[in-house]
Amino acid sequence: MKKDDAVSLSVIKRLPKYFRYLTSIADKGIVRVSSKELSSITGLTASQIRQDLNHYGCFGQQGYGYNVKELINELSKILGIDRKYKLILIGYGNIGHALFNYEGFSQSGYTFEAIFDSNPEKIGKEIDGIKIFDVNDLENYLSDNEIDIAVLSIPKEDAQKVANVLCKSNIDGIWNFAPEDLKTTNGVVLENVHLDESLYTLTYFINNPQDYVFGNE
């Protein structure tokens, strides 16, 4: 598979949506689907769907549509979820607790190997067999263990300091839930997740419904 070099961020961010909907219809026993049918499910236009997928190859056949299982497999490769990932969680507060307990991660091949926190009352305990370490031991842990992704759910004032430690290790990516746009070095990939921005977007559209594109109506 050869990727088109000119793939925009908006296209990339739609790929997980396609994967999610395709997986859903595959669970219902649907074998093939047209771009028009995908359009009615996703709320995106059929033309947009075809253009997005064509960046990565020709997956459909005119008059037949897409083979659902084959397209799921191709999207798995494109998204990199055809392999397993080892994660660590840094910060076992409310958000960290929710992330750790989300079953969808393990079902998709993402497994937590360790938890780190600064609260003495939590350090040393085990949650479902996963130990909570002192965050001060993070650097030593990473030198002895191969981890792919670090999930940060810590206060903003500590986030960049922890990110700097992570960037000195052999970690590949940081999934950041701290309310701070972090900076990374050494080729570490960063995804900042701001929950308040998502909520603000929702309330904007509630107050400006003329700007919202309603799908599936």
Side-chain angles (χ1 to χ4, degrees), residues 189-203:
V189 178
L190 172 68
E191 177 71 12
N192 291 305
V193 181
H194 294 298
L195 299 178
D196 54 354
E197 289 183 9
S198 181
L199 184 58
Y200 298 161
T201 301
L202 174 65
T203 54

Side-chain angles (χ1 to χ4, degrees), residues 99-118:
L99 292 169
F100 181 81
N101 285 281
Y102 179 60
E103 294 181 355
F105 294 147
S106 59
Q107 293 171 357
S108 300
Y110 301 87
T111 58
F112 284 106
E113 301 292 319
I115 304 171
F116 292 84
D117 203 277
S118 59

Side-chain angles (χ1 to χ4, degrees), residues 113-141:
E113 301 292 319
I115 304 171
F116 292 84
D117 203 277
S118 59
N119 188 336
E121 295 182 1
K122 298 177 182 179
I123 295 169
K125 293 184 177 180
E126 289 192 1
I127 311 296
D128 295 335
I130 305 300
K131 186 176 179 180
I132 300 179
F133 294 90
D134 189 327
V135 71
N136 292 319
D137 295 330
L138 177 61
E139 190 169 0
N140 289 333
Y141 178 90

Side-chain angles (χ1 to χ4, degrees), residues 8-19:
S8 69
L9 181 60
S10 58
V11 172
I12 294 167
K13 286 186 173 292
R14 283 193 289 269
L15 298 180
K17 184 172 186 176
Y18 298 144
F19 181 85

Side-chain angles (χ1 to χ4, degrees), residues 26-104:
D27 290 341
K28 297 176 182 178
I30 296 175
V31 176
R32 66 184 179 92
V33 63
S34 67
S35 56
K36 183 178 180 181
E37 290 168 331
L38 273 179
S39 173
S40 66
I41 297 170
T42 64
L44 299 167
T45 67
S47 176
Q48 181 70 75
I49 293 169
R50 290 193 299 270
Q51 289 178 28
D52 288 351
L53 296 177
N54 284 342
H55 282 295
Y56 297 90
C58 299
F59 304 124
Q61 298 178 22
Q62 189 172 5
Y64 177 85
Y66 300 101
N67 181 292
V68 173
K69 184 177 180 180
E70 289 180 1
L71 188 52
I72 288 173
N73 289 338
E74 291 298 330
L75 285 174
S76 295
K77 296 175 185 176
I78 294 168
L79 293 168
I81 51 178
D82 57 336
R83 52 162 290 200
K84 298 185 181 299
Y85 294 89
K86 293 181 178 180
L87 282 62
I88 55 171
L89 173 64
I90 305 174
Y92 195 66
N94 292 333
I95 294 177
H97 181 271
L99 292 169
F100 181 81
N101 285 281
Y102 179 60
E103 294 181 355

Side-chain angles (χ1 to χ4, degrees), residues 9 12-13 79 83 85 87 147-152 160 162-164 166-177 181-193:
L9 181 60
I12 294 167
K13 286 186 173 292
L79 293 168
R83 52 162 290 200
Y85 294 89
L87 282 62
I147 298 297
D148 301 300
I149 299 171
V151 182
L152 268 61
Q160 187 60 60
V162 172
N164 292 341
L166 294 169
C167 289
K168 293 178 182 178
S169 72
N170 60 351
I171 208 161
D172 294 321
I174 298 174
W175 197 24
N176 174 43
F177 285 83
D181 285 331
L182 304 181
K183 296 180 176 62
T184 58
T185 57
N186 297 331
V188 175
V189 178
L190 172 68
E191 177 71 12
N192 291 305
V193 181

